[in-house]
Amino acid sequence: MRLDLSSWQEVQAYLGHRTDIIIPIGSHEQHGPNGLIGTDAICPEIVARTFGERDSVMIGPTLGIGVAQHHLGFAGSVALRPTTLIAVIRDVVASLTRHGFTHVLFHNGHGGNIATVQAAFAEIYGDYSFRGEPAPTHLRLGNWFMGRRVMSLTRELYGDSNGQHATANEVALTYHAHPDQVKSVTMSPKVAPNGRFRDAADYRTRFPDGRMGSDPSRATPADGARLLEAAVEDLRDGHRDFVAGG
Ligand code: NI
């Protein structure tokens, strides 16, 4: 089920028998020479929507812009400050809580969001803790790329060349979602360098084509179809544990 394609009466009926929702969250940033700018939003979104359709779980709007200042040296990247994303998450959770949702699972596609989403949860829980009231909402962060099945399949498909950014697995998943957007690009070097970075200028100098440690030229839509199935199973496990109170 999709929140954006439901009427308010349908949402009210859903809340009459269950109160959980999944919010895909990602980023809008460069993903190397053959990766789509929306990769980190497209991946959690297709996984969540596929799971939501199969298991009749409500899927909320994708928060498609994330914490990505280090990618601003590349055309098309759009970033939020951590404080901005915290404010967005607070208001989204407050809206859902007002309607009676009690379990909000953020399904994430961008490593750079992790610390900020967890900080947002601490802010939200803190509001109740400082007032001496129990928080009515359970919050959870899951990362599609860290699921057990996804990590195992990624190793099988790409070994060490999956990399850290503009990874082969995420590019494959977007190619499955958008097969008309497959881009054939010769990469040099074949596997990108790895390392640390600070700001956008530093990142651009160290990783000139945007990739980190990856060879996404190996990504295919067929791999993406397999990764989607693995990711949906991983999400099903995580979601079941979450609503069961784990
Ligand atoms: Ni990514």
Side-chain angles (χ1 to χ4, degrees):
M1 300 185 68
R2 283 174 54 171
L3 191 65
D4 63 340
L5 302 181
S6 302
S7 69
W8 70 263
Q9 290 95 337
E10 288 168 337
V11 178
Q12 192 163 281
Y14 178 89
L15 285 162
H17 68 275
R18 58 190 300 170
T19 55
D20 54 316
I21 188 167
I22 298 173
I23 306 289
I25 181 168
S27 184
H28 216 77
E29 68 192 36
Q30 70 81 17
H31 268 76
N34 73 336
L36 314 184
I37 297 281
T39 295
D40 286 357
I42 293 165
C43 290
E45 181 176 82
I46 189 175
V47 173
R49 287 182 178 176
T50 304
F51 172 63
E53 254 171 53
R54 291 180 187 174
D55 287 45
S56 300
V57 174
M58 189 66 80
I59 309 301
T62 300
L63 305 184
I65 302 179
V67 175
Q69 58 81 20
H70 51 290
H71 292 299
L72 287 173
F74 297 86
S77 299
V78 179
L80 299 180
R81 294 167 191 276
T83 46
T84 311
L85 183 59
I86 288 170
V88 169
I89 291 172
R90 286 179 68 123
D91 287 357
V92 167
V93 171
S95 303
L96 296 169
T97 300
R98 186 184 194 284
H99 301 311
F101 286 98
T102 62
H103 288 70
V104 185
L105 171 59
F106 286 83
H107 193 50
N108 179 42
H110 175 51
N113 285 342
I114 293 174
T116 301
V117 174
Q118 286 169 338
F121 291 176
E123 290 277 357
I124 293 164
Y125 288 144
D127 286 342
Y128 295 96
S129 300
F130 285 113
R131 287 204 301 266
E133 297 171 13
T137 315
H138 302 250
L139 305 169
R140 176 75 63 90
L141 172 65
N143 303 291
W144 81 268
F145 51 90
M146 290 174 72
R148 179 172 62 83
R149 295 174 186 80
V150 166
M151 289 181 73
S152 162
L153 178 56
T154 296
R155 263 192 305 276
E156 177 193 323
L157 290 170
Y158 310 117
D160 289 339
S161 64
N162 189 58
Q164 305 301 315
H165 181 70
T167 59
N169 64 355
E170 62 184 345
V171 172
L173 186 48
T174 63
Y175 283 0
H176 171 63
H178 297 281
D180 54 332
Q181 297 301 328
V182 172
K183 302 177 199 308
S184 181
V185 179
T186 304
M187 312 242 180
S188 177
K190 192 154 173 52
V191 177
N194 252 317
R196 296 176 181 278
F197 56 85
R198 294 180 299 117
D199 58 1
D202 186 43
Y203 189 105
R204 178 85 198 224
T205 303
R206 291 174 192 264
F207 311 105
D209 74 1
R211 298 175 295 149
M212 275 183 71
S214 66
D215 176 13
S217 68
R218 297 173 64 181
T220 66
D223 290 352
R226 294 180 66 192
L227 285 157
L228 176 61
E229 291 306 314
V232 168
E233 292 302 311
D234 285 340
L235 175 55
R236 181 174 289 119
D237 283 353
H239 175 265
R240 187 188 300 119
D241 177 69
F242 178 47
V243 295

